[in-house]
Amino acid sequence: MKEKLLELLSTFGYEIFLQGSLNKEKPYPDTFFTFWNNNTVDGNHYDNDAISYVWSFTVNFYSTDPELTNSVLLQARTLLKQNDWIVDGKGYDVPVDEPTHTGRAIDVLYLEMEDLSNA
């Protein structure tokens, strides 16, 4: 699912990093996404085995332009919803280590279903 998420976010043309992986010795890019897989839990079960999984991610967007911080994250929300991701709300502010940047985040879920046609 990480690949699906990154594929969609990459359409915006901004760099994407794993949350917390930016080098503190280098300046932040002006505008970028980060993501974090919060957890991946079993969903439905059949025959004592999971047949679905719920992937939970936090998607963050940071920019030196506060207008971009809001507008791009909302565009990402729309794109994710159009591609079967569940997005709760319109986001929330997140702290940033750099005084030049603002940040917002959304929490997203993806339901992965096992293909039972070959079972």
Side-chain angles (χ1 to χ4, degrees):
M1 282 317 120
K2 285 182 187 179
E3 295 79 21
K4 286 185 178 189
L5 178 63
L6 296 177
E7 181 181 322
L8 290 170
L9 294 178
S10 70
T11 63
F12 290 94
Y14 301 112
E15 292 182 85
I16 305 167
F17 302 95
L18 181 64
Q19 181 67 27
S21 70
L22 286 169
N23 184 341
K24 296 202 185 275
E25 304 301 317
K26 292 184 178 179
Y28 280 12
D30 285 346
T31 304
F32 61 97
F33 282 103
T34 67
F35 72 97
W36 186 258
N37 178 212
N38 299 309
N39 63 34
T40 306
V41 297
D42 289 355
N44 296 332
H45 290 81
Y46 177 77
D47 242 0
N48 203 30
D49 201 6
I51 60 169
S52 68
Y53 304 91
V54 180
W55 291 79
S56 170
F57 290 91
T58 298
V59 174
N60 301 289
F61 187 76
Y62 302 95
S63 182
T64 56
D65 180 344
E67 178 55 37
L68 276 182
T69 302
N70 291 307
S71 64
V72 172
L73 192 68
L74 289 174
Q75 292 170 25
R77 175 186 183 270
T78 299
L79 179 64
L80 291 166
K81 288 179 67 129
Q82 289 170 344
N83 285 273
D84 301 322
W85 290 77
I86 300 165
V87 184
D88 186 21
K90 289 189 173 185
Y92 50 91
D93 293 335
V94 293
V96 186
D97 294 338
E98 295 294 324
T100 54
H101 287 67
T102 58
R104 287 194 52 82
I106 52 176
D107 295 318
V108 301
L109 301 173
Y110 192 89
L111 181 59
E112 177 187 11
M113 300 293 295
E114 291 285 328
D115 182 3
L116 297 178
S117 63
N118 297 326

